[in-house]
Amino acid sequence: MTTDAAHRPPPPGFAPRPTRGKFSLHNGPSYLASADGDIRSGIWVLDRHCNGLGFMHGGMICAFADSALAWAVWSATGRSSVTIKLTMEFMDIVKEGTWLEAHPRVKGIDGDLVHVMTDLIKEDGALAARADAVFRSLRRRSA
């Protein structure tokens, strides 16, 4: 892929995700669904996301899933959160140039713990990976 691949527009219904720091800036760009109530995330798989075999590195898949799940937690609670547990299952490779979407859902909220999962779906509809996680939502400290 050329350097321009990083500037390829997302599919209709997605908008650039605001960056949240150096890690996200380097590993993006990523996108959020723009319709109300739609909590999907998406990413174009770029060269920098890939391993030496030319497909998306497992660690990058984990990072993308973690980010998408954190967005689902934020959408459900209005709070920032930290990952307590993240379990991944890899089903298929994701080649450079592929549009990958996370389809998260909140399974349950138990106090400050939020149970979430996501399927990572390739643009051809194939399941690439599945993540299951527990996040702890953060409370603001009093000054």
Side-chain angles (χ1 to χ4, degrees), residues 10-11 13-18 29-34 37-44 63-73 75 99-105 118-122:
F14 283 85
R17 179 185 189 134
S30 63
Y31 303 89
L32 296 174
S34 51
D38 189 345
I39 59 172
R40 291 175 300 149
S41 297
I43 192 169
W44 287 112
F64 174 62
D66 185 63
S67 176
L69 292 167
W71 175 244
V73 171
S75 296
W99 172 255
L100 184 65
E101 280 185 17
H103 293 239
R105 67 181 177 88
T118 190
D119 286 337
L120 300 179
I121 308 292
K122 299 190 298 186

